[in-house]
Amino acid sequence: MPLKVKLTLMSLCMIIIIIIIIIIIIIVTNLLYIDDLKVFAASQAKLNIVLKMTKEAMEDIGLQWNPKKCNVLNVRRGVPVDIPEGFKSGETLIDSLKEDTTYRFLGAPERLLQEEKLALQCTSKTYLQRLSVIWSSPLSDTNRVQASNQLAMPVLSYLMWSQHWCLTDLRDIDRQARKIVCESGGKHPLGLKATVYLPRALGGRGMRSVEEEYKMTKIKSAIKLYSNEDPTMRLVRAFEENAIHQGHQSLVKEAREFAEELGFTLDLSFPHPKCRDNTDGADVPTDKIKRHLKKAAIEQRKTEVKEKKWQGKLLAARWEEDQLNQRGCFAWLKNWDTAPTHTIAGMLELYEQLTPTKVYYARKTQTNRPNDTLCRLCGKTAESIPHVLASCSALAQNKYLARHNAALKVLFWEMLRELQLSDTVPPWYSPAVPKPIYESPKAQAYWDIPVFAVSEQVKQNRVDARFIDHEKKKVLAVEMSCPWTENREKKQEEKTIKYGPLRWELKQQFPGYDIRQYNIIIDVLGGWSTEVDEAMRELFGARGGEILLRMQRAVISHTLNIARTLKVMS
């Protein structure tokens, strides 16, 4: 019996607690707030009547006023008049709006009219403050860009629909934003402006431009205005069209100008506005206008990069290369979410050829004599980015070899697991070095071990890695190389011809086995051809792409190490 009473009391207490929680939830979820409510009247007496009706209507649905957050603005013949004693509505005293003060309606400061300059001044200050916090934080580069676009930019974009801002002011905000990125080490001072706003899949930073966001917003606003069949929108359309006739600023006029800049023509006819592409004359579907506008803006950025013969040379060459895997080339930007900002900034500096080589000083900044370009390391040829990163003899046996091995061992560890010669795969940045030989009854793997010829003399008998699978009767010879971007195809042919006699020798040693050579060529900036994709698919199936991404990270990390060595010398 005592046990039953105890259980009953416990159950009763639990029921009471649940009821209290439900009551709290109901109260909280049914709290309603009305902000930014305006009431107009021709006189104080009429205002009192309107306020009384508004208050009664709100009380009928359980809403209450907060007099402390209310103000009254008296206007006579277009001039604000201050009433020190305030305005009395029934028993409620409402303060008068003080002189030279504004109120916020839908987030925008107003008095008689919208204070557009003040709105831009306040929001831009908040935008830049947030950017400063974001770019001085320990976030990775990808997260910094996402925070800039999703936390800082909405401060400005929220008001763009209703504000008319000067493009010069917006460009200045963009300039200050780039300065913040530059001061935090995220961008070279002489880096291209366009690459900051290009998508990361194309070698850019992926940040949103304030000016571009404003133009896009105006175009979308005009299209929505003329496709909205709400009767009250007719007054807005009439107001905007009348503003054009009187020579004032107008949403419609701005939208048409911005669309022309992007190569489109707006036909704003109610209720079916059209956006026509000037290149082919085709109408853009309403639900795809945003995508087409964004694509046109990207093409303009790419054209701007191509016009820069020095900083834009390498990026433009990447975009125009047919054999290159375009998606994988910039995977270190798009898919490497944990990459620190100094890594991304360093790679973009290499792409824009801003590394302090002697060729850079002689031809770009012209601070060196034109003839003073010999490499400070080897003293044999001109010290340029291609020479330092891929063909300097002084770096071949240490820096280049370390980069080569760092990328190859990612593939080697994975192949060991495929052949069940190892259970674990170290991360791509691990300093672990593979053993020369791994053996089991079913397979063997060799790391940089020469093949001893039996039938004839083979001069080139040392491939980077060799795998023998006795179950599938396969012998795989893997060669790795990290040449300059323009030498990938040449290196592919060299490797194939160089090890032709070795492949023949392996056929003699392993009769009945399938002998294959795979050339994994990843250039010093992390790009590879479609042939490498096919080779990795044959080796690892669907996992080949993911393994390539890890190899790419190893390559560019060591490439940046070489570039930093040169900076220290400078």
Side-chain angles (χ1 to χ4, degrees), residues 485-502:
T485 57
E486 298 173 355
N487 297 333
R488 280 198 322 274
E489 293 183 12
K490 180 181 177 182
K491 186 62 69 173
Q492 179 83 15
E493 294 176 3
E494 284 181 3
K495 294 286 185 183
T496 303
I497 296 172
K498 179 179 178 180
Y499 293 104
L502 178 62

Side-chain angles (χ1 to χ4, degrees), residues 120 285 334 389 398 401 438 467 469 479 555 565 568:
L120 181 59
K334 188 171 176 60
L389 297 184
N398 43 52
L401 183 61
Y438 292 82
F467 306 96
D469 188 345
E479 266 294 304
V555 169
T565 302
V568 171

Side-chain angles (χ1 to χ4, degrees), residues 192-256:
L192 291 176
K193 176 181 71 174
T195 55
V196 178
Y197 305 116
L198 273 174
R200 296 177 84 87
L202 292 174
R205 217 47 178 279
M207 287 187 66
R208 288 159 60 184
S209 164
V210 176
E211 179 188 359
E212 185 178 303
E213 192 76 11
Y214 179 78
K215 292 179 178 179
M216 297 280 192
T217 301
K218 289 302 178 183
I219 296 172
K220 292 185 288 184
S221 299
I223 293 172
K224 286 186 177 181
L225 176 61
Y226 278 82
S227 60
N228 194 329
E229 299 184 4
D230 189 336
T232 55
M233 290 294 103
R234 180 171 56 85
L235 298 175
V236 181
R237 289 191 290 272
F239 175 84
E240 294 294 341
E241 291 168 359
N242 187 47
I244 297 176
H245 297 315
Q246 294 184 1
H248 300 315
Q249 284 184 322
S250 169
L251 168 66
V252 175
K253 183 179 178 181
E254 284 186 336
R256 285 172 177 161

Side-chain angles (χ1 to χ4, degrees), residues 2-32:
L3 183 60
K4 276 189 175 181
V5 173
K6 187 175 181 181
L7 289 174
T8 304
L9 289 174
M10 185 180 292
S11 301
L12 183 61
C13 291
M14 290 299 295
I15 291 171
I16 293 172
I17 292 171
I18 291 170
I19 291 173
I20 293 172
I21 292 173
I22 292 173
I23 292 172
I24 292 173
I25 292 173
I26 291 173
I27 292 173
V28 171
T29 54
N30 284 276
L31 283 176
L32 299 177

